[in-house]
Amino acid sequence: MSSTAKGGAKPTVTITLDGSNRSATLPLLAGSIGPQTVDIRKLYGELGIFTYDPGYGATASCESKITYIDGDAGILLYRGYPIEQLAEKSDFIEVAYLLLEGELPNAAQLEDFRKNVTYHTMLHEQIRRFFDGFRRDAHPMAIICGVVGALAAFYHDNLDINDARQREVAAFRLIAKIPTIAAWAYKYSIGQPFMYPRNDLNYAENFLYMLNAVPAEPWKNNPILSRAMDRILVLHADHEQNASTSTVRLAGSTGANPFACIAAGIAALWGPSHGGANEAVLKMLGEIGTPENIPQFIREVKDKNSHTKLMGFGHRVYKNFDPRAKIMKETCHEVLAELGIKDEPLLDMAMEMERIALEDDYFVSRKLYPNVDFYSGIILKAMGIPTSMFTVLFAVARTVGWVSQWKELIEDPSQRIGRPRQIYSGATRRDYVPVSGR
Ligand code: ACO
């Protein structure tokens, strides 16, 4: 394979099949930042060969203007803005606008957007009944996956995804209703009455209200905790073409209903290698028990036969500190201080684990650093949010990313149904043998 770009000509890559005189010259594409990318669309037509990249480590599945990650440098940008600046200076609703629309809103646009999202926070009363169909011990991710999918039944017949206004309303509905669905999934599991959304509160406050308030008592907002929740939402809002977002895009590429596409994203997020990791981190810390057991646990992680992973460590793209993990660690300290928690054994354990891992050649040589999930669980636990809700919170935040990516997909004139190929390694053609002859 060779690459050329002479005298202002567009750069290309030429692939030559060894042992033959056949070759294909393919365009080399460049984004605004990031690595150059070989456009292989004509490869099969010209050489009759596929490319192989299980896990898509070197494959760009689409062109996107939403989020940029430089995994080696530990950089995350939403629409060009560094995550650190957005986490400090912005809030979730403004970030949601930015992700969806591409620019930061002016005051009037922001106000309008806030109103539109707020307007849609209630669920159709009929949706309440869906919750009753679940067992009380159902995992809330199973509930939100089912209920978000069920929204398709409420907004299907009148939804034309090719109409920009209808896409916009679907986006408002999803972003506005997901906290209500998530909070009700929790309330259902603990047998408390559902709290209806309060439109006088901001997004994070309203979510905390629906999770924690009860009709019998007045509810008081704690600004430090709602700010921490808002920051967690900002940090999780989008992360380019990760597993759940790619799932949403793949489902969306068929023209499927957006509520069904987001339900597919929720299902993909649930896995412990993805959004389920924050829950797995706390489980892991609980099982290790005390700091003296950390070295033994680390030995287990390093033993290939144990299949034990240090949850909250490692990332497909970040080969440096996950910038979100740094902010999360700071937020963790702020929240614990606000709550007057001086000694949190889980935090002590997490920090000791981080210290040991970052000095250990196994983790250093593989460039394994804490990811966003390493500290988020400790903050959420301190805020009184049960472990089973951690991934649900992630889904609440990521809904805006999924919706933005879905919208971008539908608006992309080059978008086609997603349909990967394969290396077939099964049986070659053979004739059917009746059961009596087998
Ligand atoms: N603990 C121990 N070893 C690890 C870990 C870990 N957490 N992560 C990766 N490794 C090792 C692998 O065993 C492999 O070692 P080898 O080269 O000796 O075979 C090497 O590091 C490379 O790892 P891969 O599995 O190839 O990395 P991949 O990019 O496929 O996986 C993933 C990334 C899934 C995130 C992985 O690091 C992991 O499972 N981490 C723990 C779960 C987790 O925290 N997930 C959250 C990710 S962030 C998010 O989704 C929000």
Side-chain angles (χ1 to χ4, degrees), residues 291-303:
E292 305 87 79
N293 298 332
I294 295 177
Q296 171 54 29
F297 177 77
I298 297 276
R299 274 196 290 279
E300 215 175 287
V301 168
K302 287 156 62 175
D303 174 2

Side-chain angles (χ1 to χ4, degrees), residues 273-274 277 301 304 309-313 316 362 366 371:
S273 296
H274 192 8
V301 168
K304 281 268 165 225
K309 284 212 161 147
L310 175 46
M311 300 311 285
F313 255 69
R316 168 59 60 81
Y362 176 93
R366 288 171 179 75
N371 61 46

Side-chain angles (χ1 to χ4, degrees), residues 205-438:
E205 289 165 357
N206 175 50
F207 185 35
L208 284 172
Y209 164 79
M210 289 189 291
L211 281 173
N212 297 327
V214 288
E217 305 259 341
W219 179 80
K220 199 165 174 306
N221 176 41
N222 178 327
I224 302 263
L225 297 191
S226 45
R227 177 73 190 126
M229 173 59 77
D230 192 88
R231 191 170 281 177
I232 292 172
L233 297 175
V234 167
L235 294 180
H236 287 87
D238 195 49
H239 213 227
E240 56 120 299
Q241 308 311 320
N242 56 83
S244 56
T245 302
S246 296
T247 302
V248 170
R249 277 189 177 258
L250 195 55
S253 77
T254 69
N257 176 289
F259 299 95
C261 296
I262 302 303
I266 293 171
L269 184 74
W270 193 1
S273 296
H274 192 8
N278 51 13
E279 187 174 338
V281 169
L282 274 217
K283 191 163 166 273
M284 171 189 79
L285 293 174
E287 281 168 7
I288 297 170
T290 57
E292 305 87 79
N293 298 332
I294 295 177
Q296 171 54 29
F297 177 77
I298 297 276
R299 274 196 290 279
E300 215 175 287
V301 168
K302 287 156 62 175
D303 174 2
K304 281 268 165 225
N305 299 320
S306 76
H307 301 291
T308 306
K309 284 212 161 147
L310 175 46
M311 300 311 285
F313 255 69
H315 196 275
R316 168 59 60 81
V317 182
Y318 293 118
K319 302 302 169 197
N320 197 326
F321 266 93
D322 178 338
R324 302 168 301 172
K326 286 190 194 163
I327 306 168
M328 211 54 107
K329 191 174 173 181
E330 281 165 26
T331 309
C332 190
H333 285 289
E334 276 168 34
V335 166
L336 296 184
E338 167 63 19
L339 294 173
I341 303 173
K342 291 208 178 61
D343 291 311
E344 169 49 84
L346 288 175
L347 178 62
D348 296 343
M349 289 250 295
M351 290 200 307
E352 180 61 1
M353 184 94 90
E354 180 184 321
R355 190 189 64 75
I356 294 177
L358 293 180
E359 285 172 359
D360 189 306
D361 187 56
Y362 176 93
F363 298 93
V364 175
S365 63
R366 288 171 179 75
K367 300 186 176 166
L368 300 172
Y369 291 89
N371 61 46
V372 68
D373 289 325
F374 196 62
Y375 285 101
S376 62
I378 300 170
I379 308 178
L380 297 174
K381 181 174 178 284
M383 289 168 80
I385 294 171
T387 319
S388 63
M389 283 296 287
F390 292 0
T391 314
V392 174
L393 244 129
F394 193 156
V396 169
R398 186 54 58 85
T399 294
V400 66
W402 290 329
V403 172
S404 306
Q405 301 266 355
W406 169 81
K407 190 168 157 282
E408 186 177 64
L409 166 99
I410 302 295
E411 291 166 6
D412 179 354
S414 68
Q415 94 87 11
R416 307 163 73 198
I417 184 169
R419 178 45 171 103
R421 300 304 304 267
Q422 61 175 4
I423 298 176
Y424 176 69
S425 55
T428 52
R429 190 195 183 284
R430 51 185 169 166
D431 289 324
Y432 177 81
V433 179
V435 69
S436 56
R438 284 175 224 157

